[in-house]
Amino acid sequence: MNLVKLGLPVALAAMSTTAAAALVDLSSWTAQGGSSNWQVAADKNSVLQSVNGNPTVFFSGSNDRGNVLSGKIRVQTTSDDDFIGFVLGYKSGDASAASTDFILIDWKQATQVNGNCTGKVGLAISRVAQGLADGSGTWCHDPAKGVTELARGTTLGSTGWADNTEYLFDLVFTATNIQVKVDGTTELNVNGSFADGSFGFYNYSQQSVRYSAITEDVAPPTNSVPEPGVLALLGIGLLAGIGGVRRRKA
Ligand SMILES: [Ca+2]
Ligand SMILES: [Ca+2]
């Protein structure tokens, strides 16, 4: 085999091969939590949540750890300025359970004081240990009420979402790493230990939120750039091939 002619192209093709992401059928997803109305469109690939209520989740019911969920999110109204987002590692019943271990990614349009608790503008990731029943813990990310913030977005950490504006999102969910991209920019990249569970959508006190073009695929390697070891092996293969050609000519 001629490694110079065959080895490098074959190796590069193998590294760049990715399967086409599968469209997600949202008609099999389930709503839990506060008052809500998650209306799945006829094409089953888009859902509109229309109620301004307590924390609500719309989740897949499957174990999605190891996968990446992608799609679009848009608030289709100028009314209100509250929370939109996602949950990862959600298990059925978690919204009202006393003891939980799932991840909340929420994004608020504007800062708002609610009693002695302030909901901050911007995108954040938190670990939820006591469900979503206590709205004030979720509103202000209060660790004493089971919602512990892990990080805020790199560019959107204190920037709200815009009305009537569509954003592309990618959620990478593995046992040791979670990444959130918005319009292709990595906003959150958190290492840790993350429990099994579902992808879900999340709204709190925000109506007219549309999620669409939802796809799910196996998560890419955490670092999509080839590891140094892979590059070294490629280089050794290349040199061996060149050496072989030279020896045959000699
Ligand atoms: Ca608004
Ligand atoms: Ca509201």
Side-chain angles (χ1 to χ4, degrees):
M1 184 171 112
N2 188 324
L3 287 169
V4 174
K5 283 187 178 171
L6 294 176
L8 190 57
V10 168
L12 289 176
M15 285 194 295
S16 65
T17 298
T18 50
L23 282 177
V24 172
D25 178 355
L26 296 172
S27 68
S28 65
W29 287 33
T30 304
Q32 289 184 345
S35 58
S36 65
N37 185 3
W38 294 90
Q39 305 155 53
V40 177
D43 68 3
K44 299 180 179 179
N45 196 236
S46 149
V47 63
L48 177 68
Q49 199 293 114
S50 60
V51 174
N52 173 16
N54 282 329
T56 174
V57 167
F58 190 64
F59 69 104
S60 73
S62 50
N63 177 18
D64 298 311
R65 197 175 68 176
N67 288 355
V68 53
L69 191 78
S70 301
K72 301 173 183 175
I73 183 170
R74 179 176 192 260
V75 179
Q76 304 185 162
T77 180
T78 58
S79 297
D80 225 334
D81 55 14
D82 289 324
F83 291 99
I84 62 174
F86 308 89
V87 288
L88 289 75
Y90 184 88
K91 288 170 276 298
S92 186
D94 273 356
S96 53
S99 177
T100 59
D101 183 11
F102 68 92
I103 294 297
L104 170 67
I105 290 154
D106 61 4
W107 192 9
K108 200 171 188 310
Q109 186 176 39
T111 293
Q112 184 179 349
V113 177
N114 189 1
N116 57 1
C117 161
T118 299
K120 287 184 196 160
V121 63
L123 178 72
I125 181 169
S126 303
R127 194 182 285 272
V128 181
Q130 298 173 28
L132 301 172
D134 188 316
S136 66
T138 314
W139 188 272
C140 56
H141 300 171
D142 183 355
K145 293 181 175 177
V147 181
T148 304
E149 207 171 271
L150 304 177
R152 299 191 69 86
T154 51
T155 74
L156 299 174
S158 56
T159 300
W161 47 266
D163 295 329
N164 293 306
T165 301
E166 193 160 75
Y167 297 93
L168 301 173
F169 67 83
D170 300 282
L171 312 176
V172 177
F173 174 29
T174 77
T176 56
N177 178 256
I178 289 175
Q179 293 179 29
V180 177
K181 294 180 186 176
V182 178
D183 288 341
T185 297
T186 300
E187 292 287 338
L188 298 163
N189 187 349
V190 176
N191 292 324
S193 178
F194 302 111
D196 275 355
S198 299
F199 281 127
F201 304 144
Y202 168 85
N203 292 173
Y204 180 11
S205 197
Q206 182 60 52
Q207 67 275 41
S208 300
V209 185
R210 166 84 65 190
Y211 297 79
S212 61
I214 307 302
T215 63
E216 186 167 359
D217 200 356
V218 174
T222 302
N223 186 352
S224 59
V225 176
E227 298 291 325
V230 173
L231 288 175
L233 281 172
L234 267 177
I236 290 165
L238 206 54
L239 289 172
I242 291 167
V245 169
R246 281 184 182 156
R247 272 196 296 278
R248 278 196 296 276
K249 280 181 178 170

